[in-house]
Amino acid sequence: MEKTVLINGVWEAGEVTGLPVVDPSTGREICSVPSASEDQVRRAVEAAAAAQPAWAALEPWRRADSLRAMAACLLKNRQELAELISAEVGKPLRKSGEDVDNAAIYLGYMAEWDRRIEGEIVPSDNRDETILLTRVPVGVIAAITAWNYPLDLFIRKAAPALVTGNTMVVKPTEVTPLATIRAIELISDEECLPDGVLNLVTGGGAVGAQLCSHPLVNMITMTGHRDTGKKIMVTAAQTLARVSLELGGSAPAIVWKDADLDLAADAIAFASFENTGQVCTSSERILVHRDVHDEFVERLVERANRLKVGSPREDVDLGPLVSRGQFRKVSEAISRARTEGATLRCGGHGLPALPREGYWVRPTVFTDVTPEMSIFKEETFGPIAPVIRIESFEEAIRLANATRYGLSAFLFSNDYRLIMRAQNELRFGEIYINRTMGEALQGFHNGHQESGIGGEDGKHGVLKYTQIRTIYHRYG
Ligand code: NAD
């Protein structure tokens, strides 16, 4: 792959030696993607800055039309994009196709915001004066993405930013950049957007850091690890660029004694194992009342064993982990949990029937987990369901909140008073009652505490790409 940098509508080869993209089901290199040089990053930001006033001056419905054209373009090339996602992420082809559909639906939803960005009129202290609060674009947005849903994470940033009149430089993750590069290539071939509105630079953390530090960048929107988010805030402090950071989580799932255990086991199996556990809202700590503990564990293990793990090209539920680094991290978490005294009920790493080179971990359930264990404390980001036995609702809430993260939490119960208590007492940005994970377009996906700043989706996810301008209109 050569031309992976898009500046003002012109494709260029990255000027710095490439980074390999690996098929995680075989461990083999698919291709190498060259990185953008410092000069290319600078020119990409300048192109976005130059294109921004004209883009913002367009009628909003024209910008919305561009988003709809982007959606149509993605759907027209659904199969090709899905195959790229499966090749680089390792997720089953059926699910990668759903990712493309979701990206197109997201563009369609955000296009509807064209006529909905409203201002306010507030009374003035002066006679013959009106005070208007209007919403204007933030300007140039730097978008930095993670690898677990590469196309969706890019569109989740681009759609609201573009419809509100901002321009963008995207740096996809170096781990899975292919679907994003190809999507932008298709969008640019079909001329869905004016030149300079959407620019692309490839590369790793160093390129991301250069992009974030450019003085013409007005806002950085990033999805990734908590520690990277903290580094980006330090960089942004130099230019006072706004930040929107969607970071990791360690979601608790409370199963109370009156829960529908089949519903809870289905929902938690999905929330623990979907995308091989590589979802920011994955349930990573399962707190089960002692009266139903054994029965629940039996059902969860049964569901874990039922999931088919295998090559993304076959009809399977789960593929491998995304990379060797991720495989090492998850394998170490499994080994450490066993050393620290947790009981392995099913799963583990390695999968004899599949290529030894791939990064395979089976859906894994641990019991006898305690809050002192490493597996309780850190985000594993793998298909691991650690179960903790609880005695009381107070203990459940206390343990659920015993984390610096605050993205999502789950509760399974039919006791109205406990549900209301959980809504008030759980310190998370998104709480699922009697259902599994999966955000709505019109909701607001936002992490509290160290899970992030900003949030995405819905009204609040659009408005963050605008800033308020106050106009004192004296006419007397
Ligand atoms: P990561 O932080 O390693 O990388 C994310 C991006 O940041 C990459 O594009 C990387 O090149 C870039 N980057 C690295 N260092 C940088 C720097 N100093 N300055 C600027 N950019 C830099 O994360 P990852 O491993 O790709 O993704 C996994 C993490 O993402 C998990 O913690 C997961 O929970 C989180 N995540 C969160 C959400 C959410 O919506 N909250 C969604 C998906 C994933």
Side-chain angles (χ1 to χ4, degrees):
M1 196 168 246
E2 267 187 27
K3 297 203 168 171
T4 60
V5 172
L6 179 66
I7 302 174
N8 200 27
V10 178
W11 285 92
E12 300 180 11
E15 288 169 355
V16 178
T17 316
L19 296 168
V21 180
V22 172
D23 176 344
S25 68
T26 62
R28 280 187 225 115
E29 184 174 319
I30 303 171
C31 65
S32 164
V33 173
S35 297
S37 64
E38 271 185 53
D39 178 60
Q40 287 177 312
V41 173
R42 180 182 55 74
R43 287 190 291 112
V45 176
E46 286 171 2
Q52 199 271 327
W55 177 244
L58 272 185
E59 297 86 339
W61 62 266
R62 287 192 199 276
R63 293 198 297 267
D65 275 355
S66 294
L67 264 61
R68 290 189 195 97
M70 288 166 70
C73 177
L74 297 186
L75 289 179
K76 200 160 81 184
N77 298 281
R78 183 182 192 272
Q79 182 66 17
E80 184 191 352
L81 291 169
E83 280 171 15
L84 277 175
I85 296 171
S86 284
E88 60 185 349
V89 182
K91 71 173 77 178
L93 195 56
R94 177 171 46 86
K95 310 239 173 191
S96 300
E98 288 168 11
D99 285 4
V100 182
D101 296 340
N102 289 336
I105 292 168
Y106 205 86
L107 283 158
Y109 167 75
M110 284 297 171
E112 290 176 17
W113 277 93
D114 58 348
R115 296 186 175 90
R116 296 198 175 135
I117 306 296
E118 296 173 348
E120 294 166 45
I121 302 174
V122 291
S124 167
D125 290 347
N126 302 316
R127 182 189 288 198
D128 296 337
E129 181 176 87
T130 302
I131 303 176
L132 306 173
L133 306 187
T134 61
R135 285 195 175 265
V136 297
V138 177
V140 174
I141 313 291
I144 295 185
T145 59
W147 43 257
N148 54 346
Y149 289 87
L151 186 65
D152 288 8
L153 295 179
F154 152 54
I155 293 295
R156 211 172 187 179
K157 299 178 185 316
L162 297 182
V163 78
T164 43
N166 302 279
T167 53
M168 185 168 258
V169 180
V170 184
K171 191 209 75 67
T173 164
E174 64 277 28
V175 183
T176 61
L178 303 182
T180 308
I181 296 170
R182 182 65 183 137
I184 294 177
E185 200 172 38
L186 293 162
I187 288 165
S188 118
D189 285 353
E190 297 239 341
E191 299 181 353
C192 300
L193 296 163
D195 290 347
V197 168
L198 180 63
N199 305 274
L200 167 70
V201 292
T202 44
V207 174
Q210 279 161 27
L211 175 60
C212 293
S213 64
H214 196 293
L216 288 178
V217 167
N218 303 107
M219 175 171 166
I220 302 158
T221 172
M222 172 267 196
T223 300
H225 195 271
R226 175 185 59 185
D227 298 345
T228 311
K230 290 180 182 179
K231 283 187 203 157
I232 287 177
M233 271 194 96
V234 171
T235 306
Q238 304 308 309
T239 57
L240 290 177
R242 293 173 173 213
V243 291
S244 180
L245 305 171
E246 317 310 323
L247 310 176
S250 174
I254 302 172
V255 182
W256 192 242
K257 58 188 170 187
D258 67 340
D260 175 334
L261 291 187
D262 278 321
L263 172 89
D266 283 340
I268 291 175
F270 183 82
S272 297
F273 307 132
E274 177 61 10
N275 209 29
T276 319
Q278 303 166 121
V279 187
C280 53
T281 49
S282 287
S283 58
E284 296 233 345
R285 298 172 296 135
I286 301 156
L287 306 157
V288 186
H289 191 273
R290 59 155 194 249
D291 290 358
V292 293
H293 176 275
D294 294 354
E295 216 181 318
F296 171 79
V297 168
E298 195 182 303
R299 291 175 200 215
L300 185 63
V301 168
E302 184 264 319
R303 280 149 178 89
N305 284 333
R306 220 195 289 154
L307 289 169
K308 246 165 88 181
V309 183
S311 163
R313 289 154 203 92
E314 284 157 26
D315 184 22
V316 294
D317 301 301
L318 307 177
L321 290 167
V322 75
S323 64
R324 183 177 297 282
Q326 190 64 16
F327 176 71
R328 205 173 294 135
K329 187 177 147 217
V330 173
S331 301
E332 276 169 19
I334 292 174
S335 306
R336 209 174 319 123
R338 296 182 80 166
T339 318
E340 289 176 352
T343 307
L344 182 72
R345 301 298 290 260
C346 67
H349 37 86
L351 205 72
L354 286 157
R356 283 181 49 216
E357 299 79 17
Y359 310 133
W360 307 102
V361 174
R362 284 173 285 154
T364 300
V365 177
F366 277 111
T367 53
D368 303 314
V369 174
T370 65
E372 293 71 38
M373 293 180 183
S374 325
I375 204 165
F376 181 92
K377 291 184 190 154
E378 272 308 318
E379 181 188 38
T380 316
F381 226 51
I384 303 181
V387 180
I388 300 109
R389 193 188 292 262
I390 49 154
E391 307 280 329
S392 68
F393 201 70
E394 287 66 32
E395 185 188 15
I397 296 284
R398 182 173 53 76
L399 291 180
N401 284 338
T403 172
R404 287 298 304 149
Y405 289 111
L407 187 54
S408 41
F410 304 81
L411 170 67
F412 296 86
S413 169
N414 292 303
D415 184 327
Y416 182 69
R417 284 164 308 165
L418 295 184
I419 292 172
M420 291 309 293
R421 272 192 63 189
Q423 278 177 216
N424 292 331
E425 294 175 27
L426 287 171
R427 295 200 297 259
F428 295 81
E430 126 190 323
I431 299 176
Y432 296 99
I433 310 286
N434 291 321
R435 62 159 278 193
T436 193
M437 63 182 184
E439 308 96 68
L441 303 167
Q442 67 276 34
F444 190 49
H445 174 60
N446 84 112
H448 289 186
Q449 305 197 88
E450 292 191 11
S451 284
I453 292 178
E456 294 185 312
D457 312 333
K459 172 172 128 185
H460 301 288
V462 183
L463 292 184
K464 77 173 184 186
Y465 288 102
T466 66
Q467 52 193 345
I468 293 176
R469 176 174 292 156
T470 306
I471 298 157
Y472 296 92
H473 191 162
R474 197 81 183 253
Y475 52 86

